[in-house]
């Protein structure tokens, strides 16, 4: 009987695998619902890893699973999948059923993000408590190192990893849509486990003991420094140490919210460079920060630091094995987040702001000691620190990486909006009374502490965006819109003042702080004054700002002020480029109008000529008409907002733009971009690149290959082009020597021969690269070219001449002789008097 019980799960798994091939999804889900309800956890334990893999796909990407990222609401299977994976659905019921029995499932360390994997393989435990007490140390070595996760953690790991798993999308089908099953499920899980209203719903499954057991408690010797620079006392003890079965039900359920958020943050945001991760993991940096914090807070009234607080093992926990440090360069992983990845991160940011802003207002205590005894629910404590502790550091590094490596095109909009969502938490407060226009919406003073504790997210990323903007084609309406969006956000009333105050607090000299508070923080009842309490607030604000900057950039960071002289010069450069882009957009619009007005009647029938060499540089198909109007509007409003942010003098700005306009006339766009002469030709300077990007100057680009082999144009007959090329090639092969001898003669016949057998444009001296110079020498040999006869314009002209000859009673032969004679006489006259006409 026991043997039969042991074999039954294997038969169950085999049957499910067979059904996955033969049965449709609806029938498979119905069968799974019955199995989850009827079978005990002991038998469901063996099918759980296979079921998770069949839903989300394998971690190596070989098994696609249910393709949640490609499944949209238009699909027939969409509702089936959403019902099965719902937080209160059958799949989650299976998770809770296995969670009650404390089963464990292994994940290879090799699938962790690169920095975490490298850290573990070096023998150092990462800061994130998600990995504490979960490493399985094998006897065979590091190559088989695994993480032991409980069912809920295992499910959430695979769900989060599904987003960064490499996918091969079918042709014409993209996965960046926000109505995919995966995107909707992320939103559903966030709203369920991180509710803005109410509490986390209890587990729908209860075992004989009355509740689902939480994970094992974390070791008390492990610091939670990986999520911010604040001390562990910011959170209540029961948030860090999972409660027992008989604990408070609210505290019992909070671990699911914490686990879900940690999984999302670690898998989605923890892919920055290993060099940066080494810097953040370096105990020297953390100890330097700790020493600064202790020097600022070692006052008589401060609570005594716990034993061992500030020692090396507080921040760097050595694993029970040691290995030679690997080469970090060999462990570097290519990190190229997709648009879909960034959109999901933005969804996470927006929901965390709404979740954090939904906390109940704190009751002001009558005394400082009363605050520590005020009872606050675990969920409210979690809301209070969720953004700063769990997201701030890794999101900053994620955005910094994207800002530095994303292509200079309009796809950057997803990254930009994620950044703007994070730095505007006041947009997600749920307050809809008295709506104001965005331009007139004043940032409330209560957000000053948020701006100070996230100063680098405002200032450093703004500087990186400036570097991108000056290298972007701002004539493109989509790029102009991004510049306008950033300027509009930072121009919100009261926000520039908050940022400037935060910078002043960071630049506050440390010796001034020590002299400002020589006797500690004394309340009025202890012999102090109300002024000393104000000084304590200022000192706390300085501490928060310095801790934030030092934690992300290191103690030796060279901070550049957003409102300093250097950045002000960069803003003026951007304003100049915006003004140039406005003029280029106007020039493109005027050029398009002139071309449309000067088009011949034949162009209505598609017979007009089109020269690739006369196309206006900088123009794109989408940059016409309405798009150029939008570009003008976006750039004008961006200029206004930049002047408002940096308090620029409107008169000086107007003078700068007018001077720029007067110096860049129509002749200026015909000049070459700024270059320097190198060994192999011209080399563009940074100024020359910006001139080309914004369409201010351009090279005289012409076709430099064989004129007979250039692409067939729309105004040419393809059959005639090929036919005349063969005829002319035969003639040139046979009489090439005679033509060359004729054209080298210095007399009148030589000039006449060069008139008909060489390209007149070849005499124009242009600056070429060495490679194209050798090619031109081979292509400038005298030869006969019949290609002009294949032009529709030439064909229509010949037809008109033959019809005119017929009206004069001339036959085809006579008309042909007259046409040839007229062409010869025209060439003869141009040979005799062409030079004189050019001089006049």
């Amino acid at each position: 009987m026991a043997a039969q019980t042991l074999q039954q799960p294997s038969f169950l798994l085999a049957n499910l695998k067979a059904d996955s091939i033969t049965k449709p999804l609806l029938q498979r889900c119905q069968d799974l619902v019955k199995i989850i309800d009827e079978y005990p956890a002991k038998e469901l334990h063996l099918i759980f890893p296979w079921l998770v893999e069949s839903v989300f796909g394998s971690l190596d990407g070989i098994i696609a699973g249910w393709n949640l990222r490609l499944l949209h609401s238009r699909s027939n299977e969409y509702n089936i999948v959403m019902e099965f994976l719902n937080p209160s659905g059958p799949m989650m019921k299976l998770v809770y059923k296995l969670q009650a029995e404390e089963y464990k499932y292994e994940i290879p360390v090799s699938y962790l993000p690169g920095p975490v994997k490298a850290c573990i393989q070096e023998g150092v435990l990462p800061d994130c408590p998600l990995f504490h007490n979960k490493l399985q140390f094998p006897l065979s070595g590091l190559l088989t190192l695994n993480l032991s996760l409980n069912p809920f953690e295992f499910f959430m790991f695979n769900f989060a990893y599904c987003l960064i798993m490499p996918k091969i999308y079918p042709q014409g089908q993209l996965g960046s849509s926000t109505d995919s099953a995966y995107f909707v499920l992320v939103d559903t899980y966030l709203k369920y486990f991180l509710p803005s209203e109410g509490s986390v719903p209890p587990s729908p499954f209860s075992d004989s003991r009355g509740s689902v057991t939480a994970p094992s408690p974390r070791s008390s010797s492990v610091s939670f420094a990986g999520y911010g620079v604040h001390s562990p006392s910011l959170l209540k003890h029961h948030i860090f140490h999972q409660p027992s079965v008989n604990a408070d039900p609210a505290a019992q359920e909070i671990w699911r919210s914490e686990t879900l958020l940690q999984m999302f943050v670690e898998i989605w945001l923890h892919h920055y460079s290993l060099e940066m991760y080494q810097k953040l993991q370096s105990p020297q940096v953390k100890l330097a920060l700790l020493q600064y914090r202790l020097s600022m807070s070692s006052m008589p009234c401060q609570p005594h630091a716990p034993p061992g607080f500030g020692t090396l093992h507080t921040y760097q926990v050595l694993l029970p094995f040691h290995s030679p440090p690997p080469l970090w360069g060999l462990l570097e992983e290519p990190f190229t987040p997709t648009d879909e990845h960034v959109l999901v991160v933005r969804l996470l940011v927006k929901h965390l702001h709404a979740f954090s802003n939904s906390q109940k207002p704190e009751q002001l205590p009558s005394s400082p000691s009363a605050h520590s005894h005020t009872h606050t629910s675990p969920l409210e404590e979690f809301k209070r620190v969720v953004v700063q502790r769990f997201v701030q550091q890794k999101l900053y590094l994620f955005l910094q990486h994207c800002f530095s490596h994303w292509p200079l095109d309009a796809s950057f909009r997803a990254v930009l909006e994620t950044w703007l969502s994070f730095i505007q938490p006041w947009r997600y407060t749920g307050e809809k009374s008295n709506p104001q226009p965005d331009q007139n919406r004043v940032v409330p003073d209560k957000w000053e502490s948020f701006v100070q504790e996230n100063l680098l997210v405002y200032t450093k990323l703004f500087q990186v965006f400036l570097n991108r903007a000056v290298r972007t084609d701002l004539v493109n309406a989509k790029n102009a819109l991004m510049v306008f969006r950033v300027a509009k956000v930072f121009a919100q009333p009261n926000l520039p003042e908050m940022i400037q105050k935060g910078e002043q607090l960071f630049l506050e000299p440390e010796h001034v702080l020590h002299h400002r508070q020589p006797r500690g923080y004394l309340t009025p009842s202890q012999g102090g004054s109300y002024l000393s309490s104000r000084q304590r607030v200022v000192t706390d604000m300085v501490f928060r700002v310095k801790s934030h900057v030092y934690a992300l950039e290191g103690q030796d960071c060279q901070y550049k002020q957003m409102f300093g002289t250097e950045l002000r010069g960069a803003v003026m450069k951007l304003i100049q480029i915006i003004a140039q882009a406005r003029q280029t957009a106007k020039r493109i619009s005027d050029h398009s109008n002139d071309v449309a007005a000067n088009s011949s009647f034949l162009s209505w029938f598609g017979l007009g000529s089109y020269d690739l060499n006369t196309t206006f540089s900088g123009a794109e198909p989408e940059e016409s008409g309405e798009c150029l109007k939008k570009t003008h509007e976006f750039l004008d409003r961006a200029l206004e907002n930049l002047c408002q942010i940096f308090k620029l003098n409107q008169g000086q700005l107007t003078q700068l733009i007018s001077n720029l306009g007067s110096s860049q006339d129509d002749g200026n766009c015909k000049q070459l971009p700024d270059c320097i002469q190198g060994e192999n030709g011209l080399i563009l300077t940074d100024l020359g690149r910006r001139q080309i990007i914004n369409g201010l100057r351009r090279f005289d680009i012409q076709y430099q290959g064989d004129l007979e082999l250039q692409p067939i144009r729309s105004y040419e007959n393809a059959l005639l082009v090929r036919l005349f090329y063969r005829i002319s090639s035969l003639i040139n092969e046979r009489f090439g020597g005679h033509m060359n001898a004729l054209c080298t003669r210095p007399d009148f016949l030589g000039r006449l021969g060069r008139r008909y057998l060489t390209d007149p444009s070849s005499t124009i001296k242009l600056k070429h690269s060495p490679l194209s110079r050798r090619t031109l020498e081979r292509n400038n040999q005298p030869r006969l070219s019949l290609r002009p006869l294949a032009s529709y314009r030439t064909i229509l002209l010949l037809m008109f001449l033959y019809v005119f000859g017929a009206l004069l009673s001339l036959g085809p032969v006579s008309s042909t002789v007259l046409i040839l004679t007229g062409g010869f006489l025209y060439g003869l006259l141009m040979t005799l008097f062409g030079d004189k006409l050019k001089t006049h």
Side-chain angles (χ1 to χ4, degrees), residues 31 106 137 197 248 254 280 300 309 328 451 535 563 581 639 661 803:
D31 294 342
E106 293 185 348
F137 307 111
E197 298 180 0
D248 180 13
I254 197 67
L280 295 177
F309 188 70
W328 285 82
V451 174
Q535 291 174 345
F563 296 94
L639 282 175
V803 171

Side-chain angles (χ1 to χ4, degrees), residues 295-514:
S295 67
M296 295 301 301
S297 59
S298 58
M299 301 298 175
C301 64
Q302 294 296 317
H304 184 65
F309 188 70
T311 57
L312 178 62
H313 70 269
T314 306
Y315 291 94
Q316 188 177 35
V317 182
L318 296 179
L319 298 179
F321 59 85
H322 298 280
S323 62
L327 296 177
W328 285 82
L330 298 178
L331 296 172
E332 186 71 45
E333 62 171 357
F335 174 47
T336 53
T338 60
D339 291 346
E340 180 187 15
H341 186 169
V342 177
L343 288 174
V344 173
V345 171
R346 184 179 183 229
L347 175 66
L348 173 65
V349 169
K350 292 167 63 177
H351 183 82
L352 288 181
H353 275 321
F355 175 70
S356 178
N357 294 335
S358 66
Q359 61 179 309
K360 300 175 183 178
E362 297 183 4
Q363 300 293 333
L364 296 177
S366 56
S367 63
S369 60
H371 178 70
S372 59
H373 298 286
T374 304
H375 175 73
T376 307
S377 67
L379 186 62
E380 293 299 314
E381 286 288 327
F382 189 55
K383 291 178 180 180
R384 186 170 63 87
V385 298
V386 63
V387 174
Q388 298 301 106
R389 182 172 293 264
F390 286 83
V391 180
Q392 181 205 55
Q393 183 189 67
K394 292 183 173 61
L395 180 64
Y396 168 74
L397 297 172
F398 174 84
L399 291 175
Q400 191 178 41
H401 180 90
C402 291
F403 272 57
S404 303
H405 295 81
W406 204 275
L408 292 172
D409 55 22
S411 64
F412 184 70
R413 178 74 185 278
V415 180
L416 184 80
E417 293 299 334
T418 303
W419 173 46
L420 297 181
S421 295
F422 180 76
I423 64 176
Q424 297 183 92
W426 46 86
R427 292 181 53 194
Y428 309 100
T429 57
E431 300 174 359
K432 297 183 179 180
S433 58
N434 298 327
Q436 296 178 335
D438 292 340
Q439 199 64 27
N440 300 326
R441 183 185 302 166
V442 179
V443 179
D445 293 334
K446 68 177 182 179
W447 295 107
E448 186 176 21
S449 60
F450 179 88
V451 174
Q452 294 169 0
E453 294 175 359
N454 296 273
L455 184 64
L456 287 177
V457 187
Y458 290 89
T459 60
K460 182 73 175 292
L461 293 184
F462 181 83
Q463 297 172 26
V464 181
F465 176 77
L466 276 184
N467 294 333
R468 290 183 58 94
V470 297
R471 294 179 288 131
T472 304
D473 179 16
L474 298 184
V475 180
N476 189 308
K478 295 179 181 178
N479 294 332
L481 173 61
M482 288 191 285
V483 175
F484 161 66
R485 287 280 296 125
V486 173
K488 176 184 176 182
V489 168
F490 278 84
Q492 296 178 80
N494 207 23
L495 181 58
E497 290 77 10
M498 289 182 179
I499 298 174
Q500 196 166 8
K501 183 177 180 181
E503 290 189 323
Q504 293 172 355
L505 291 173
F506 174 74
L507 298 175
E508 186 83 17
E510 296 182 16
H511 64 86
V512 175
L513 297 177
H514 289 292

Side-chain angles (χ1 to χ4, degrees), residues 677-695:
Q677 186 69 38
E679 296 180 358
N680 298 322
L682 298 176
I683 301 176
L684 273 176
T685 63
D686 292 338
L687 175 61
R689 292 188 183 95
R690 289 197 295 269
Q691 290 171 341
I692 292 178
I693 288 175
N694 293 289

Side-chain angles (χ1 to χ4, degrees), residues 22 161 240 259 381:
T22 58
Y161 198 87
F240 290 105
T259 300
E381 286 288 327

